[in-house]
Amino acid sequence: MNPEVDWFFDKPSKWQEEYSELRTLVLECDLTEELKWGCPCYTNQKSNIVLIHGFKDYCALLFMQGAMLKDPKKILVQQTNNVQSARQFRFKNMDEILKNSTEIKSYIDEAIACDNTGLKFERKKTDEYEIHPEFQNVLNNMPEVNTAFKSLTPGRQRAYLLYFSAPKQVKTVEARIEKSIPKILEGKGLDD
């Protein structure tokens, strides 16, 4: 146990008991405990394997390369369509954790074995993301925006593409694009 992570388990939380049990199970798998993104993260030779986090309706183990796990019982959940490799093993109470403790450890062991092979999940490349027609129109008609957008890092490009494709109404897409053009021209990302 890493004392720097204790505060996460000591703070009052809806999931305090469940977090503690998950911590015990994960540490039995010989992973190193660290604090990353404000959550307990467990590593194997500096590779992130799994982290513990919680939400309103559930707590979860997030497997960083979960898409590569076999998951024969289809337990692992993809949080959103935009999440590529990570998958969650979700729990709504302590009984679910205790009932699945053997399964949890086998998923962790498989994640470690997968990491030891050196294989990595093949992520979608930026040019494989769909460009919303409204944004494509801007890129076609405003060469300076096209040039500035192409000079952004792939991660910044993806953030904009996902941001523009999320709304259902075209007027919302148009408003997002219009608001983002100055930032794109400045070479800034969505959250910069």
Side-chain angles (χ1 to χ4, degrees), residues 43-122:
T43 62
N44 176 51
Q45 302 171 30
K46 297 187 181 183
S47 291
N48 299 328
I49 301 298
V50 65
L51 64 81
I52 297 172
H53 61 170
F55 298 88
K56 181 181 172 186
D57 297 327
Y58 63 89
C59 63
L61 287 174
L62 179 73
F63 289 87
M64 306 309 257
Q65 297 287 322
M68 295 184 64
L69 302 179
K70 292 180 185 130
D71 193 21
K73 295 182 180 178
K74 305 295 182 219
I75 293 171
L76 300 179
V77 177
Q78 182 178 1
Q79 271 182 280
T80 69
N81 290 335
N82 298 327
V83 172
Q84 293 190 48
S85 63
R87 299 292 184 270
Q88 291 179 328
F89 195 144
R90 294 179 176 178
F91 311 96
K92 293 183 180 178
N93 54 53
M94 180 66 86
D95 288 341
E96 287 184 3
I97 295 170
L98 296 173
K99 185 177 82 174
N100 290 292
S101 61
T102 303
E103 198 83 54
I104 292 167
K105 286 183 179 181
S106 72
Y107 274 73
I108 295 169
D109 290 340
E110 183 184 352
I112 294 167
C114 190
D115 181 62
N116 287 338
T117 67
L119 293 174
K120 296 290 179 195
F121 182 80
E122 188 70 32

Side-chain angles (χ1 to χ4, degrees), residues 165-183:
S165 68
K168 291 184 169 100
Q169 295 187 5
V170 173
K171 67 181 181 180
T172 306
V173 175
E174 290 171 342
R176 287 183 175 194
I177 292 169
E178 186 176 324
K179 182 180 171 187
S180 299
I181 287 175
K183 290 177 90 172

